[in-house]
């Protein structure tokens, strides 16, 4: 298997790291003045909105059960893409920004 530059082979990326990654993305989106914050983010479209944190509704107004709200297929795909992104960034134990 060929490794991509910068990729770190983590034995396990935890769900907590995936959740923290999503919260960090949402924080970056909120603080971006250009409107281009979501260009390179892991995201999916739902009801006309880009979702970068599936633990929140598409308007980022309330917490949701991501599997019930967005569905299993969409949620699993998001988790897989974030896991891959964490490995590419080499930060397998990502923490939430305060």
């Amino acid at each position: 298997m060929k490794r991509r530059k910068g990729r770190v082979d983590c034995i396990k990326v935890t769900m907590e790291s995936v959740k923290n990654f999503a919260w960090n993305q949402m924080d970056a989106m909120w603080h971006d003045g250009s409107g281009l914050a979501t260009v390179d983010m892991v995201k999916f479209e739902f009801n006309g909105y880009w979702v970068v944190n599936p633990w929140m509704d598409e308007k980022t107004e309330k917490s949701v059960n991501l599997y019930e709200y967005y569905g299993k297929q969409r949620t699993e795909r998001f988790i897989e893409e974030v896991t891959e992104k964490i490995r590419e960034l080499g930060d397998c134990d990502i923490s939430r920004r305060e």
Side-chain angles (χ1 to χ4, degrees):
M1 186 162 123
K2 197 172 188 179
R3 293 177 90 194
R4 286 190 252 171
K5 187 177 180 182
R7 180 183 165 87
V8 174
D9 289 327
C10 303
I11 294 172
K12 184 177 181 182
V13 175
T14 66
M15 186 58 75
E16 187 66 25
S17 292
V18 171
K19 189 173 185 178
N20 288 339
F21 184 93
W23 280 98
N24 290 341
Q25 284 196 137
M26 190 174 71
D27 182 60
M29 182 182 70
W30 282 344
H31 292 96
D32 176 60
S34 72
L36 298 174
T38 62
V39 171
D40 292 326
M41 290 184 179
V42 177
K43 62 189 178 286
F44 58 86
E45 190 174 355
F46 187 81
N47 289 338
Y49 291 87
W50 286 116
V51 176
V52 299
N53 180 356
W55 281 269
M56 299 291 291
D57 72 348
E58 68 274 19
K59 295 180 183 178
T60 67
E61 295 176 340
K62 63 182 178 181
S63 296
V64 297
N65 177 314
L66 61 167
Y67 284 95
E68 290 177 9
Y69 195 80
Y70 295 113
K72 183 179 179 186
Q73 182 179 7
R74 189 177 277 128
T75 298
E76 290 295 327
R77 188 174 337 121
F78 180 86
I79 291 168
E80 288 170 14
E81 289 177 16
V82 168
T83 300
E84 183 63 25
K85 187 75 155 183
I86 289 170
R87 288 179 175 146
E88 286 175 9
L89 294 171
D91 190 359
C92 300
D93 192 28
I94 195 166
S95 60
R96 189 169 169 188
R97 285 190 235 162
E98 296 297 327

